[in-house]
Amino acid sequence: MSKTSALRVVGDDASTTAIPNDLQAFWMPFTANRSFKARPRMVARAKGLYYYTPEGKQVIDATAGLWCSSAGHSREPIVEAIQKQAAELDFAPTFQFGHPKAFELASRIAALAPGDLDHVFFCNSGSEAADTALKMAIAYWHARGKASKTRLIGRERGYHGVGFGGITVGGIVANRRVYGSMLAGADHLPHTYNREKQAFSKGEPEWGAHLADELERIVALHDASTIAAVMVEPMAGSTGVLPPPQGYLKRLRELCDKHDILLIFDEVITGFGRLGAPFASERYGVIPDLMTFAKGVTNAAAPMGGVVARKHVHDAFMTGPEHVVELFHGYTYSAHPLACAAGLATLDLYRDEGLFERSKALEPVWADAIFSKLKGKPGVLDIRQVGLTAAVDFEGWKDAPGKRAFVAMDKAFHDEGMMVRTSGDCLVVTPPFIVTEDDIAQIADKLSNVIDATVNPS
Ligand SMILES: Cc1ncc(COP(=O)(O)O)c(C=O)c1O
């Protein structure tokens, strides 16, 4: 059999796209491959708030891609910046050499980050950012002469990507259980969700700040002299939008200070305006020692991630002979020129269109639309919302956990023309910041339709 698959041309003149006949070779990530390939949810173009299928059908992007295309798709200034950069400087190594846009983008990100989060280390994804931050934390204590501080503390239901560091501190069982014993010595705080106490809270729930005190128990068990860092998402996105309980993050900061433990915020989702501020650390008035970012930094038009370090963390490494590498870590594509160009154009766009402010201004409109449309529907068990994110938990089908949400997601795409995400029996929506009030109403209506359409197992 030939290994090259034929292309098929579909669509009218305006939307003609070639699509493959053979879907077998691409082993898709985090996807039910067999059901996708039996009934593909394929998109071929995107513009603004919309994706378009190869046949030219419009699909509302209610997920900003994967929480990342916050300014909408294929935005001209970003496209042009990437095109120009590809022609001017396609690649340059950043090990022992440099190129101007890497420094410019680092300065722009440092200026946007709160407090003395002033030094930016670039990588290519959220997973790499998480593992970079964890390694930096361990190396920091080594540089400070406290090399016994190596233990990493995460949180149940946390997601920090798929590297071994990230899955070790992460708390999603499906991402961990088949990968053996992972990194030694990690431990976990309890997650912060309690439906009985928090159901249908708009924004941050009142109940749950005390759960940060579990760090005292972990310190008592392991001793602070063995613990390098605590890593949490300010708002846990991947397990269904868990906003932090009021006061929780401040408490965690106090306890980390008390025990000389670094606090890492994973802002891969919450960074760049998702919660109405440049970073969640600003919304919550809590400055971590290390902060990861990815996704929104380039509006997802080029892969990029990174870690922002506070001055005291960075400066601890800047000792010893000046010709010697201070941190033995980095990626061939750290600060790739195309990603830097995309990042600079993206930050300009966020600023020029006031998109973080727009995200903040839309939050109450968003919350009202989602709650008024969906709260009280039969089988809807909880709605959580913070910033421009929302998650709706509903009763699943008997003996088939997650299947109702899967079918609802599939129906949303094929029947309602909307992209949503699932997490268990929960639908998650996180639109680009360019949504209008009408778009928001449409998203809420379409969600309502797919929830109604899946009451009974199909
Ligand atoms: C908080 C957080 N950290 C890390 C990651 C991993 O990012 P990536 O998929 O770019 O590796 C994600 C992805 O959703 C995330 O939400």
Side-chain angles (χ1 to χ4, degrees):
M1 202 171 78
S2 161
K3 290 197 95 176
T4 49
S5 66
L7 290 176
R8 182 160 48 103
V9 173
V10 295
D12 55 31
D13 282 351
S15 60
T16 299
T17 317
I19 59 168
N21 282 326
D22 187 349
L23 305 184
Q24 292 313 309
F26 178 27
W27 188 346
M28 299 172 72
F30 276 124
T31 294
N33 273 255
R34 287 157 301 159
S35 32
F36 180 95
K37 288 166 190 182
R39 187 168 134 94
R41 292 172 294 279
M42 191 86 84
V43 294
R45 292 187 300 120
K47 191 77 196 158
L49 179 63
Y50 301 102
Y51 281 114
Y52 295 87
T53 68
E55 294 78 16
K57 188 176 149 203
Q58 195 177 60
V59 176
I60 294 189
D61 180 7
T63 55
L66 255 176
W67 320 71
C68 48
S69 302
S70 304
H73 292 283
S74 299
R75 299 296 311 270
E76 265 103 34
I78 305 173
V79 173
E80 279 164 22
I82 294 172
Q83 286 170 337
K84 192 159 164 265
Q85 187 62 42
E88 187 177 299
L89 175 70
D90 56 348
F91 176 74
T94 50
F95 299 3
Q96 306 288 11
F97 301 92
H99 67 90
K101 288 200 175 68
F103 294 91
E104 198 186 335
L105 182 60
S107 301
R108 292 280 299 275
I109 293 169
L112 208 54
D116 62 348
L117 282 160
D118 284 346
H119 299 277
V120 181
F121 194 100
F122 286 113
C123 49
N124 309 290
S125 67
S127 299
E128 288 180 0
D131 279 25
T132 297
L134 295 169
K135 285 177 71 179
M136 260 181 194
I138 292 171
Y140 166 79
W141 290 115
H142 191 275
R144 292 267 320 269
K146 297 189 178 179
S148 66
K149 285 171 79 71
T150 56
R151 202 180 287 281
L152 303 169
I153 310 299
R155 191 170 60 188
E156 296 163 358
R157 295 187 69 163
Y159 183 62
H160 305 289
V162 293
F164 267 100
I167 61 171
T168 296
V169 296
I172 302 182
V173 67
N175 294 351
R176 296 163 50 88
R177 73 191 149 87
V178 300
Y179 298 112
S181 49
M182 295 177 271
L183 302 184
D187 208 340
H188 291 77
L189 290 161
H191 65 76
T192 61
Y193 182 58
N194 182 316
R195 184 172 292 155
E196 219 173 276
K197 311 271 192 208
Q198 299 171 334
F200 300 102
S201 305
K202 269 189 194 166
E204 295 79 5
E206 282 173 22
W207 183 93
H210 64 281
L211 294 169
D213 295 341
E214 285 292 307
L215 186 58
E216 290 284 20
R217 182 186 57 76
I218 290 173
V219 169
L221 176 65
H222 299 295
D223 199 74
S225 65
T226 71
I227 302 176
V230 170
M231 173 140 103
V232 294
E233 302 155 270
M235 177 278 290
S238 293
T239 50
V241 178
L242 310 180
Q246 291 171 26
Y248 173 91
L249 294 172
K250 280 208 163 112
R251 186 81 192 113
L252 209 51
R253 176 72 273 182
E254 285 161 12
L255 291 173
C256 286
D257 287 344
K258 177 176 162 195
H259 293 293
D260 223 7
I261 294 170
L262 293 184
L263 178 61
I264 307 172
F265 279 176
D266 185 342
E267 293 235 24
V268 164
I269 278 179
T270 52
F272 300 100
R274 180 55 57 191
L275 301 193
F279 294 96
S281 51
E282 196 170 314
R283 176 172 173 130
Y284 296 117
V286 177
I287 302 185
D289 300 290
L290 292 164
M291 180 174 83
T292 66
F293 66 87
K295 300 198 188 252
V297 64
T298 60
N299 202 38
M304 176 171 254
V307 178
V308 193
R310 283 177 70 178
K311 186 175 179 331
H312 65 98
V313 177
H314 169 265
D315 290 356
F317 290 91
M318 299 301 135
T319 59
E322 292 203 357
H323 70 284
V324 173
V325 169
E326 295 103 356
L327 179 66
F328 281 84
H329 182 71
Y331 303 89
T332 298
Y333 300 133
S334 285
H336 191 285
L338 298 191
C340 290
L344 287 166
T346 297
L347 296 190
D348 286 348
L349 196 60
Y350 288 151
R351 180 198 58 210
D352 296 347
E353 295 189 350
L355 288 177
F356 299 167
E357 295 78 5
R358 184 179 173 85
S359 160
K360 184 174 182 185
L362 283 174
E363 177 169 355
V365 179
W366 171 250
D368 285 350
I370 298 285
F371 274 82
S372 65
K373 195 80 207 178
L374 302 171
K375 188 175 170 188
K377 264 187 168 310
V380 169
L381 305 173
D382 189 14
I383 301 173
R384 294 174 295 282
Q385 165 281 326
V386 65
L388 280 192
T389 71
V392 186
D393 288 352
F394 41 75
E395 268 168 28
W397 293 336
K398 197 166 173 295
D399 302 328
K403 186 159 181 203
R404 180 175 174 194
F406 176 84
V407 172
M409 177 271 289
D410 191 58
K411 276 186 183 299
F413 186 85
H414 289 296
D415 303 347
E416 297 289 332
M418 181 166 82
M419 189 180 279
V420 298
R421 285 190 49 69
T422 64
S423 167
D425 274 307
C426 170
L427 289 181
V428 178
V429 273
T430 59
F433 310 157
I434 55 166
V435 273
T436 61
E437 296 195 17
D438 283 352
D439 300 327
I440 288 175
Q442 258 199 68
I443 291 171
D445 280 344
K446 287 174 184 292
L447 266 182
S448 171
N449 294 347
V450 292
I451 290 171
D452 288 346
T454 55
V455 170
N456 300 312
S458 59

